[in-house]
């Protein structure tokens, strides 16, 4: 009996690896998206060994120097090493997006599950609140809040500010999914068997929503990054932090277009394009995984 079990385990493991490989071949958008984000992460992690934090912004360097063997990404109008700026700026921008995205999705998921599962006046109240807050102009509110706390602004504070409104879309979308799933046969069977709401939510609903929650997280991170860039491009970020948004702000403030400092313009834009395209492809791949109707046939 043990010999049969020990033989069956490797066979099942090999079969699952084969199925996973086949799925990845059918879902190239997910693979390409993960690869693009992985390249950015490797760039930031490996790049830190070439530009220690203490020497990340050498203002004594030559100003407006194009890319060369000495200055790989060139320097800006203030003499800052743009390779160091891109390394740390990408990392800080991802940090803002991840914190705000996680907080927004976490709060939105809790509200959505409580609202949709219990229904009644709780669901009616949440629906009205979401409909009201969804009409609030996001950038206007964030500008007002960021202006009020700019003296104590940090990258973490920036993420918390963006998270103030980041829960709205996850709440609406996840609530719609739970409203459908709560009437599924397996949920009704769990109720008949006496399962508590807590057990149904965490053992039946959330596991089936994991791909969708993953796609929602990626979308929330992308939205948070976009919001942070908008605020920082308006000068409401942290001047001492070389985020991608602040790099764009200094680029516009120093008239890089008029001065012909093309590398100062090209580099942050290239990083942002890779970031947003990668996040979009990951979202598309996870959405295909969550929605059987979108899956490609073998």
């Amino acid at each position: 009996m043990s010999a049969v079990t020990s033989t069956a385990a490797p066979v099942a493991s090999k079969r699952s690896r084969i199925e996973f490989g086949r799925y990845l071949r059918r879902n190239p958008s997910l693979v390409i998206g993960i690869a693009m984000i992985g390249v950015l992460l490797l760039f930031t992690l490996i790049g830190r060994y070439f530009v220690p934090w203490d020497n990340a912004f050498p203002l004594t360097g030559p100003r407006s120097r194009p890319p060369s063997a000495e200055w790989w990404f060139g320097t800006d109008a203030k003499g800052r090493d743009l390779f160091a700026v891109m390394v740390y700026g990408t990392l800080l921008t991802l940090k803002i997006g991840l914190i705000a995205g996680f907080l927004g999705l976490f709060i939105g998921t809790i509200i959505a599950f409580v609202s949709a599962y219990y229904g009644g006046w709780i669901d009616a109240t949440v629906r009205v609140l979401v409909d009201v807050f969804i009409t609030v102009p996001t950038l206007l509110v964030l500008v007002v809040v960021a202006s009020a706390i700019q003296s104590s602004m940090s990258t973490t504070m920036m993420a918390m500010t963006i998270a103030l409104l980041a829960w709205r879309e996850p709440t609406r979308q996840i609530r719609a999914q739970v409203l459908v799933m709560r009437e599924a046969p397996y949920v009704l069977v769990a109720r008949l068997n006496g399962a508590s709401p807590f057990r149904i939510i965490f053992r039946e609903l959330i596991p089936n929503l994991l791909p969708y929650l993953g796609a929602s997280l990626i979308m929330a991170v992308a939205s948070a990054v976009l919001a942070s860039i908008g605020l920082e491009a308006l000068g409401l970020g942290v001047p001492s932090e070389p985020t991608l948004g602040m790099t764009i702000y200094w680029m516009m403030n120093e008239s890089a277009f008029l001065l012909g400092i093309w590398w100062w313009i090209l580099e942050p834009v290239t990083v942002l394009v890779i970031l947003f395209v990668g996040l979009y492809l990951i979202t598309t791949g996870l959405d295909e995984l969550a929605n059987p109707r979108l899956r490609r046939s073998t």
Side-chain angles (χ1 to χ4, degrees), residues 76-93:
D76 62 15
K78 293 183 178 294
R80 289 174 292 202
D81 182 4
L82 287 177
F83 176 76
V85 171
M86 290 299 101
V87 167
Y88 287 102
T90 303
L91 191 62
L92 291 172
T93 300

Side-chain angles (χ1 to χ4, degrees), residues 140-212:
L140 178 60
V141 174
L142 293 180
V143 166
V144 172
V145 174
S147 300
I149 62 174
Q150 190 174 13
S151 59
S152 59
M153 184 66 76
S154 64
T155 53
T156 302
M157 187 65 69
M158 172 71 74
M160 301 288 286
T161 301
I162 296 171
L164 288 175
L165 296 176
W167 56 272
R168 300 172 302 171
E169 284 297 334
T171 300
R172 167 180 279 186
Q173 295 168 358
I174 295 171
R175 173 183 169 274
Q177 295 290 324
V178 178
L179 284 174
V180 175
M181 294 178 63
R182 73 177 184 179
E183 304 301 331
Y186 61 88
V187 175
L188 298 178
V189 170
R191 287 176 182 167
L192 292 175
N193 289 333
S196 64
F198 184 86
R199 181 182 178 86
I200 292 174
I201 289 174
F202 283 92
R203 296 293 297 272
E204 305 293 342
L205 297 179
I206 290 183
N208 287 283
L209 271 179
L210 282 180
Y212 186 83

Side-chain angles (χ1 to χ4, degrees), residues 56-104:
F57 315 110
L59 298 180
T60 56
R63 298 186 178 187
S64 304
R65 180 68 62 86
S68 63
E70 183 179 3
W71 306 98
W72 294 349
F73 283 22
T75 61
D76 62 15
K78 293 183 178 294
R80 289 174 292 202
D81 182 4
L82 287 177
F83 176 76
V85 171
M86 290 299 101
V87 167
Y88 287 102
T90 303
L91 191 62
L92 291 172
T93 300
L94 285 173
K95 173 187 173 182
I96 294 173
L98 287 171
I99 293 176
F102 269 111
L103 285 176

Side-chain angles (χ1 to χ4, degrees), residues 224-238:
V225 170
L226 186 61
S228 70
I229 292 171
L231 288 176
E232 291 166 339
L234 294 174
L236 297 175
V238 187

